[in-house]
Amino acid sequence: MARLTNCIEMMDEGIGRVSQIIPQMPAAEARLCRLMLMVGSSLEGELEFKLKPHKLNHSEFLTLMILYSRPDGSSTPGELCEYASQGATNMTRIANALVKRGLITRGASEEDRRRVLIRITPAGRRFVQKMLPPMFPRVALMFAGFSDGDKRSLSRLLRKLAHNLDELSEATPP
Amino acid sequence: MARLTNCIEMMDEGIGRVSQIIPQMPAAEARLCRLMLMVGSSLEGELEFKLKPHKLNHSEFLTLMILYSRPDGSSTPGELCEYASQGATNMTRIANALVKRGLITRGASEEDRRRVLIRITPAGRRFVQKMLPPMFPRVALMFAGFSDGDKRSLSRLLRKLAHNLDELSEATPP
DNA sequence: AAGTCATATTTCATCAGTGAAATAAAAGAT
DNA sequence: ATCTTTTATTTCACTGATGAAATATGACTT
């Protein structure tokens, strides 16, 4: 796999040349956009790489973590779909996989028997507590050389970007 | 689809609770990591959305743009694999799709006849010049409210992160 | 000339996610 | 009591990417 830095360098030159041909292009913004996409997918790759030994993919991991982080360790398929940004079809498949491994259980809700209650099991909690800590060093290394101010800036700017993306997709009711 | 802002809010609370159970967790870094992943994939969705009317997916668009941005409008499959972060198998498929639409051509290289020279066609250039400008307003809106300093900061921080990710994957030679 | 390496393609099996449609069951509305 | 809506599951066809193995071709080495 090519180093990210090389791809970025080549992207910089490419956008430079394109913006000479098409001067109306918002070059700085386009660069930021490409940067986000490149770094984002590299980060995604890094995550999947760390998950592979545990036979989990990103969306299974995310679903499990959402449950783990809940005060009561439970949620419903619909809610999980929302927060894990997955379709219902996919969430059914994810839940099946996690149930099969004994990390979660499915049961009917008491109050509303249409709903399905998904709970993380004690085995699921142990699993998370065992797999999470070995990831910490690499997560910390990603932000090596970032001052506290850098981290705060990055957080602020990403949240601002997220807010703008929300506005954009609300302005487009497809 | 859930709003990004909601997902972020819920992620913040979730990480807060997890870091109470597992205090060694680098919470700030984990938050940044999740933020990058969420915003990145939302951005990816936004891009795919803009590409759909042109019947292009992300990697086809990227491949085409790399060629467009080259001074001579040409490259080779191997090089495109690198910069578009695609496997050879996939690049063959991408090239087939673009050739079929008349946007690029494939031909043997003169110097080294093992190599295949991929060139953007005049039709390919016209296609890019027609499809690109309508994207500009939305790209600009993504960064609405970003000062010049914000943009520079974000650029700098993403590049630093990219650099760290390169180091990480070089320290892991599988 | 023979052997080795490099480049690209093709085939194949597989995985992860999408979207639409059909089904089921229960809640809520009138 | 019937009708509508909500929630979840299941099935199906499809897209896009992945990785391994086999093949073809041409370049480089000696």
Side-chain angles (χ1 to χ4, degrees), chain A residues 2-118:
Chain A
R3 290 172 75 237
L4 206 40
T5 310
N6 294 339
C7 292
I8 291 176
E9 191 179 339
M10 121 76 168
M11 175 275 285
D12 275 324
E13 293 164 13
I15 290 194
R17 282 189 291 263
V18 172
S19 76
Q20 288 204 320
I21 311 177
I22 312 180
Q24 325 96 279
M25 181 171 66
E29 287 79 1
R31 276 202 178 83
L32 287 174
C33 208
R34 297 280 345 144
L35 266 178
M36 280 295 307
L37 289 170
M38 288 192 251
V39 179
S41 78
S42 171
L43 208 44
E44 173 110 22
E46 164 70 18
L47 176 59
E48 300 261 7
F49 172 77
K50 284 185 294 201
L51 293 179
K52 191 167 276 180
H54 305 98
K55 314 261 189 210
L56 281 184
N57 64 30
H58 189 171
S59 44
E60 290 163 350
F61 172 68
L62 183 51
T63 302
L64 189 59
M65 286 308 301
I66 292 175
L67 290 169
Y68 182 84
S69 75
R70 283 301 170 93
D72 58 355
S74 74
S75 184
T76 65
E79 203 183 17
L80 290 170
C81 280
E82 243 192 81
Y83 289 128
S85 313
Q86 295 292 325
T89 306
N90 210 19
M91 190 48 70
T92 297
R93 191 172 50 76
I94 292 168
N96 286 341
L98 295 178
V99 166
K100 192 180 295 179
R101 294 181 59 176
L103 304 176
I104 67 172
T105 57
R106 248 196 280 236
S109 159
E110 296 298 315
E111 320 93 57
D112 183 340
R113 310 212 21 241
R114 286 170 303 185
R115 281 165 181 273
V116 168
L117 253 197
I118 293 183

Side-chain angles (χ1 to χ4, degrees), chain A residues 1-15 17-18 21-22 24-26 28-37 39-44 46-47 49-50 58 61-62 65-66 68-71 82-86 125 128-129 132-133 136-147 149-172 174, chain B residues 1-15 17-18 21-22 24-26 28-37 39-44 46-47 49-50 58 61-62 65-66 68-71 82-86 125 128-129 132-133 136-147 149-172 174:
Chain A
M1 189 70 70
R3 290 172 75 237
L4 206 40
T5 310
N6 294 339
C7 292
I8 291 176
E9 191 179 339
M10 121 76 168
M11 175 275 285
D12 275 324
E13 293 164 13
I15 290 194
R17 282 189 291 263
V18 172
I21 311 177
I22 312 180
Q24 325 96 279
M25 181 171 66
E29 287 79 1
R31 276 202 178 83
L32 287 174
C33 208
R34 297 280 345 144
L35 266 178
M36 280 295 307
L37 289 170
V39 179
S41 78
S42 171
L43 208 44
E44 173 110 22
E46 164 70 18
L47 176 59
F49 172 77
K50 284 185 294 201
H58 189 171
F61 172 68
L62 183 51
M65 286 308 301
I66 292 175
Y68 182 84
S69 75
R70 283 301 170 93
E82 243 192 81
Y83 289 128
S85 313
Q86 295 292 325
R125 288 196 184 275
V128 169
Q129 275 152 13
L132 227 42
F136 297 162
R138 288 179 76 94
V139 173
L141 275 178
M142 282 180 202
F143 297 95
F146 279 64
S147 71
D150 283 345
K151 291 177 203 165
R152 269 195 303 274
S153 291
L154 185 53
S155 177
R156 178 181 67 87
L157 294 168
L158 290 176
R159 287 165 199 269
K160 186 182 267 194
L161 183 48
H163 177 262
N164 285 352
L165 284 167
D166 277 343
E167 305 263 289
L168 261 190
S169 41
E170 268 160 33
T172 313
Chain B
M1 190 69 70
R3 290 174 74 240
L4 207 38
T5 309
N6 295 339
C7 292
I8 290 176
E9 192 178 338
M10 120 78 168
M11 177 274 286
D12 274 325
E13 293 164 12
I15 290 193
R17 282 187 291 261
V18 172
I21 312 179
I22 313 179
Q24 323 98 279
M25 181 170 69
E29 287 80 0
R31 274 205 180 81
L32 287 174
C33 210
R34 297 275 354 140
L35 265 178
M36 281 294 308
L37 288 171
V39 180
S41 79
S42 171
L43 208 43
E44 172 109 23
E46 164 70 19
L47 176 58
F49 173 77
K50 282 183 297 201
H58 189 174
F61 172 68
L62 182 52
M65 284 309 299
I66 292 174
Y68 182 85
S69 75
R70 283 300 170 92
E82 245 191 80
Y83 289 128
S85 312
Q86 294 292 328
R125 289 196 182 276
V128 170
Q129 276 153 14
L132 228 40
F136 297 161
R138 288 180 76 94
V139 174
L141 275 179
M142 282 180 204
F143 297 95
F146 279 62
S147 71
D150 284 344
K151 291 178 201 163
R152 270 195 303 276
S153 290
L154 184 54
S155 177
R156 178 180 69 85
L157 294 168
L158 290 176
R159 286 165 200 268
K160 186 182 268 198
L161 183 50
H163 177 262
N164 286 353
L165 284 167
D166 277 343
E167 306 261 291
L168 261 191
S169 43
E170 268 159 31
T172 313

